[in-house]
Amino acid sequence: MQQSTEWDPRSRVSEQAPGVHFVEGPASNWIVVRDHAGFILIDSGYPSDLPLVLASVRHLGLDPADARALLVTHGHVDHTGSAAHFSEAYGTPVLCAPEELAHVQGKEKHQVTVGQVLRRAWRPRVFRWMVHVLQSGALAATPAAQARAWDAATLRALPGSPEPVLLPGHTPGNTAILLRSAGAVAVGDSFVRGHPLSTGTGPQMLHRMYHSDPVEAEAAVRGLDGIDASVILPGHGPALRMPLADALAALRSQAGCAGSTR
């Protein structure tokens, strides 16, 4: 696809904290975390992003087949697009929250519906996003059928010693991943910094139609209160380099504006 020829890892891969490499995909982000024990991936873009995911790993001098694990913040197709490939081609463990396992395996569906999109497709931003989704292979995505639920001991042994923070609402098992020693947190879609449907550029909630439970999703971000992190890695939009507490305060101040495209 055209996006794979235009996208360049030299401008899209950045080390936001020691060993924590943030990758801005065409519409969805992923993360490579490395240390002396190897590397892991957090999320993996849309299905059509697979060549870009592989290119970003190789850009860092790593072999995709050596990934210790691929962690999934939640089971939406724009975050799991390369998971089946890593599992089937390399035997990479695909791990997620127990509450999200059926979703990641393709046994459940917690995704925005066609009806929700079509009701808003007359809006240019929604229409352009819908076209990108279709071009990205979302409707033909292969679920990660061999995914497994993580546990604290398994995660602790991985590069970066990731710690899960369950934040249900976007999906039942939506999770942020704290990289405590790096002072970084991957928040997935718990909140973002930008999105094709949004005109904002700061911390913000996604449009309500993307959440399986919008009220719970807004309340769940309280689970991030008190976490010490100054690098915030969202699933959409650029990374944020600011105290997490300040980002959450900004997010709450925007609470009344998050649904501007409803």
Side-chain angles (χ1 to χ4, degrees), residues 120 122-123 206-209 214 218 255-262:
R120 300 171 174 88
W122 61 271
R123 299 176 178 176
L206 286 170
H207 189 287
R208 289 172 62 88
M209 73 175 176
E218 291 187 8
C257 303
S260 60
T261 60
R262 291 177 193 176

Side-chain angles (χ1 to χ4, degrees), residues 87-176:
S87 175
E88 295 167 6
Y90 312 128
T92 307
V94 175
L95 306 175
C96 64
E99 297 85 349
E100 195 72 0
L101 184 59
H103 189 191
V104 175
Q105 291 178 334
K107 298 176 182 177
E108 295 179 0
K109 196 172 185 69
H110 302 280
Q111 192 88 29
V112 61
T113 66
V114 173
Q116 287 175 308
V117 175
L118 290 178
R119 285 197 298 272
R120 300 171 174 88
W122 61 271
R123 299 176 178 176
R125 288 180 178 274
V126 177
F127 183 79
R128 287 194 296 269
W129 171 80
M130 180 179 68
V131 170
H132 179 85
V133 169
L134 295 174
Q135 292 178 336
S136 297
L139 299 184
T142 302
Q146 302 304 314
R148 307 197 309 265
W150 58 40
D151 59 71
T154 298
L155 293 179
R156 196 161 45 242
L158 292 174
S161 300
E163 303 174 38
V165 182
L166 186 64
L167 303 171
H170 182 57
T171 63
N174 178 69
T175 304

Side-chain angles (χ1 to χ4, degrees), residues 14-49:
S14 59
E15 189 171 16
Q16 294 291 327
V20 179
H21 303 271
F22 181 66
V23 188
E24 293 187 67
S28 184
N29 306 325
W30 55 94
I31 301 158
V32 181
V33 182
R34 65 189 302 184
D35 65 15
H36 66 279
F39 77 97
I40 61 171
L41 284 159
I42 299 176
D43 288 342
S44 62
Y46 277 99
S48 66
D49 291 335

Side-chain angles (χ1 to χ4, degrees), residues 191-221:
F191 68 90
V192 299
R193 188 177 176 183
H195 189 270
L197 267 61
S198 172
T199 58
T201 58
Q204 60 193 274
M205 298 295 294
L206 286 170
H207 189 287
R208 289 172 62 88
M209 73 175 176
Y210 292 113
H211 303 304
S212 61
D213 187 329
V215 174
E216 186 178 31
E218 291 187 8
V221 293

